Amino acid sequence: MKTLKIADGIHMLTMNVEDILFEGIWEIANGVTLNSYIVQGEKTAIIDGVIGWDGIPETLYSTLEKIGVKPDDIDYLIVNHMEPDHSGWISNFRKIKDDFTIICTDKAAKMVSSFYGEDRIRIVKEGDTLDLGKGKLLSFHPVPNVHWPDTMYTCERDTKTLFSCDMFGAFGRMTDHYFDDELTAEEMDFFEFEGIRYYSNVMTTFTPSIRKAIEKAKELEINIIAPGHGPVYRKNPQKIMDDYSRFSLYAEGAGKNEITILWGSMYGMTAKAVDFVESILKREGVRYNRLEMPLESDSEMVATVFKSAGVIIGAPTYEYKLFPPVAAALNELGRKKITGKLAFRFGSYGWSGGAERELNEIIERNKMNWDFIESVEFEGAPVEEDLIKIEARVLELIKRMREKVVE
Ligand code: FEO
């Protein structure tokens, strides 16, 4: 765990967590950071904490001592968001200290009580404040449904630092650089993609609330954004606000100027058409991602489709339905409310179709409202006539996706 000074009396404590399934689901290729913040006046507050896994709370305590804070010095636990990646340490902390107060919203209070049996809680509402002394004044601003209904922002008024918890966060480990002004161009790209991975895997279902939270952050006139995951933005906090605005558009059908081929094949017949499509995209100079299911993780699949302005689905019929790994991927995209994508599907069948029927059923059941160019289905291996149709429809998709591009 590292400590970094944000301002006098304000420190970040951050650790990388790797090789986990985030939320028990997401296999995140590049890990994630858990960021906590200490604000010291005459009283001391910790804003967000860490997960409760064996050894992690103890790591937090020993790291606190490096900045001269004994765990016993902590007076307030500010719970911006009750999800246990930030609050899981509370029961462990209770074993070593008894007289602290939890500050959170009413919805968080209910969960803090049911998850951890805590009752020494001060519930805060919009604009409430906590004066820690020595000029450190915290204000609280609920942003419900970012990501759970309990969430709030905490703002330190003197430095205008916004502690935003999940909001404005990103996956991805941090090694040498922790602030936006330290990131190289390559690291900036890394955290942009890890931000997309995080938004699409964890946050996208809550896009309307995220838009409201962006507006609230603008109203607060902030100089620094200090999230619960990922880098701190102190040079240009507008950058991550703009990124999140753009990600919210990707959730509703916009995308980068690229196509994702989401495909699967049993015995290589559909794969022949996928190879053909890839040759067209190369010839046309179109940026593309090729995701074979079920080999890709759901985390990678959701993030990659999410950020693409065009989607090409290559999937055969399997037992009268859509090839199951591709059907599962589309269902996951539907559960995440990724709507409005421009798409085209092709696929092989043996003795009967059925894939198209299930595709339509998935899109309708999940209210995905994807805009499909007419599909091409072929019996067995694709012949020249099939490939001509596929080429024409891929070219149509390339042309039409221009209106979806938001870089
Ligand atoms: Fe980082 Fe929704 O927890």
Side-chain angles (χ1 to χ4, degrees), residues 253-276:
K256 289 177 177 280
N257 190 15
E258 60 190 49
I259 288 174
T260 288
I261 311 171
L262 180 67
W263 72 285
S265 184
M266 278 179 283
Y267 293 108
M269 303 301 114
T270 296
K272 285 179 198 285
V274 171
D275 292 343
F276 175 70

Side-chain angles (χ1 to χ4, degrees), residues 22-23 81 83 85-86 147-148 165-166 198 202-203 228-229:
F22 195 80
E23 295 184 320
H81 169 38
E83 191 165 11
D85 55 327
H86 308 282
H147 149 227
W148 287 6
C165 199
D166 278 1
Y198 175 79
V202 178
M203 304 283 270
H229 308 286

Side-chain angles (χ1 to χ4, degrees), residues 44-318:
T44 298
I46 182 165
I47 302 175
D48 302 325
V50 286
I51 209 157
W53 293 345
D54 278 357
I56 291 188
E58 290 77 7
T59 302
L60 179 73
Y61 309 145
S62 58
T63 309
L64 281 170
E65 306 233 0
K66 287 187 201 158
I67 53 168
V69 177
K70 295 192 195 73
D72 215 41
D73 296 337
I74 294 174
D75 302 290
Y76 299 103
L77 266 56
I78 314 290
V79 178
N80 274 335
H81 169 38
M82 213 300 297
E83 191 165 11
D85 55 327
H86 308 282
S87 70
W89 70 302
I90 290 176
S91 296
N92 182 295
F93 187 52
R94 175 64 72 197
K95 286 183 206 158
I96 64 168
K97 181 174 169 73
D98 193 41
D99 56 338
F100 62 84
T101 302
I102 292 173
I103 309 266
C104 62
T105 63
D106 54 349
K107 291 197 172 66
K110 197 160 175 292
M111 289 192 278
V112 166
S113 173
S114 64
F115 277 61
Y116 308 123
E118 291 291 336
D119 57 8
R120 195 173 300 168
I121 298 169
R122 178 185 154 198
I123 291 172
V124 289
K125 299 188 294 305
E126 175 63 42
D128 285 354
T129 57
L130 174 67
D131 190 348
L132 297 174
K134 293 188 182 170
K136 294 285 182 289
L137 180 69
L138 301 178
S139 63
F140 306 105
H141 309 275
V143 280
N145 298 316
V146 174
H147 149 227
W148 287 6
D150 62 313
T151 314
M152 67 178 185
Y153 288 149
T154 294
C155 196
E156 199 287 306
R157 304 310 308 173
D158 183 39
T159 54
K160 296 193 167 80
T161 302
L162 183 74
F163 300 98
S164 59
C165 199
D166 278 1
M167 188 71 190
F168 305 125
F171 284 143
R173 70 182 72 83
M174 295 195 284
T175 44
D176 297 323
H177 298 150
Y178 301 85
F179 295 96
D180 60 340
D181 50 291
E182 298 173 336
L183 299 178
T184 63
E186 196 178 311
E187 287 167 336
M188 203 57 106
D189 288 347
F190 171 81
F191 280 110
E192 198 217 319
F193 181 68
E194 290 300 325
I196 286 171
R197 186 198 296 279
Y198 175 79
Y199 187 109
S200 62
N201 289 188
V202 178
M203 304 283 270
T204 189
T205 309
F206 309 97
T207 287
S209 302
I210 286 167
R211 291 209 176 107
K212 287 182 192 160
I214 295 168
E215 291 310 309
K216 185 165 277 192
K218 285 179 188 164
E219 288 162 17
L220 290 170
E221 294 180 19
I222 47 184
N223 291 335
I224 301 170
I225 291 181
H229 308 286
V232 170
Y233 292 81
R234 64 182 177 187
K235 181 183 174 198
N236 184 12
Q238 188 64 42
K239 194 254 186 252
I240 190 67
M241 289 198 270
D242 291 345
D243 280 355
Y244 261 57
S245 294
R246 189 161 40 85
F247 301 164
S248 78
L249 299 176
Y250 294 172
E252 295 174 351
K256 289 177 177 280
N257 190 15
E258 60 190 49
I259 288 174
T260 288
I261 311 171
L262 180 67
W263 72 285
S265 184
M266 278 179 283
Y267 293 108
M269 303 301 114
T270 296
K272 285 179 198 285
V274 171
D275 292 343
F276 175 70
V277 165
E278 188 171 11
S279 73
I280 295 168
L281 298 179
K282 276 189 182 150
R283 184 192 75 202
E284 297 296 319
V286 176
R287 208 163 71 221
Y288 68 93
N289 317 292
R290 183 172 162 151
L291 301 183
E292 183 179 3
M293 304 309 293
L295 302 184
E296 295 290 343
S297 71
D298 272 358
S299 169
E300 192 76 11
M301 181 278 295
V302 169
T304 308
V305 172
F306 175 84
K307 73 184 172 83
S308 298
V311 184
I312 295 176
I313 299 165
T317 289
Y318 178 94

